Amino acid sequence: MDVEKLQRLAGAVRMGGKGSMRRKKKAMHKSVSNDDKRLQTVLKKMGMNAIPGVQEVNIFHSDTVTQFVNPKGRVFMTLDPQFKV
């Protein structure tokens, strides 16, 4: 490795200016899956159940079709008595 490349790598981990400490560890960002878990727990508390066995959903617009493969739908069964699984 040449000297310039080493200086660029060393400069990337420094928090402040010359003579300051290097950071202890790299900052990790939270993942989006935490929001999904929170949503699932709220839906479970509301009493919503997953709809099993749905493999494909097609939504027809005026001239286009939107297709979802293996959708994860939930329904509140006590309010929709006509829904048959």
Side-chain angles (χ1 to χ4, degrees), residues 7-27:
Q7 287 177 347
R8 274 188 274 133
L9 289 174
V13 297
R14 192 170 297 208
M15 295 290 288
K18 187 175 179 182
S20 64
M21 291 178 48
R22 292 185 180 185
R23 63 182 175 207
K24 302 275 190 241
K25 65 175 191 176
K26 188 174 180 178

Side-chain angles (χ1 to χ4, degrees), residues 3-65:
V3 177
E4 289 180 25
K5 188 172 184 180
L6 284 173
Q7 287 177 347
R8 274 188 274 133
L9 289 174
V13 297
R14 192 170 297 208
M15 295 290 288
K18 187 175 179 182
S20 64
M21 291 178 48
R22 292 185 180 185
R23 63 182 175 207
K24 302 275 190 241
K25 65 175 191 176
K26 188 174 180 178
M28 298 297 290
H29 298 287
K30 292 184 178 180
S31 64
V32 181
S33 66
N34 191 17
D35 292 336
D36 187 45
K37 289 178 186 177
R38 188 178 304 149
L39 176 65
Q40 296 300 325
T41 56
V42 169
L43 291 175
K44 190 173 182 179
K45 286 180 184 177
M46 291 174 58
M48 300 188 85
N49 298 325
I51 304 171
V54 178
Q55 296 176 357
E56 183 178 278
V57 173
N58 294 321
I59 299 175
F60 297 95
H61 300 287
S62 58
D63 59 344
T64 60
V65 178

Side-chain angles (χ1 to χ4, degrees), residues 62-78:
S62 58
D63 59 344
T64 60
V65 178
T66 305
Q67 183 179 27
F68 298 99
V69 179
N70 293 329
K72 295 181 180 177
R74 292 191 171 259
V75 66
F76 193 58
M77 295 296 256
T78 59

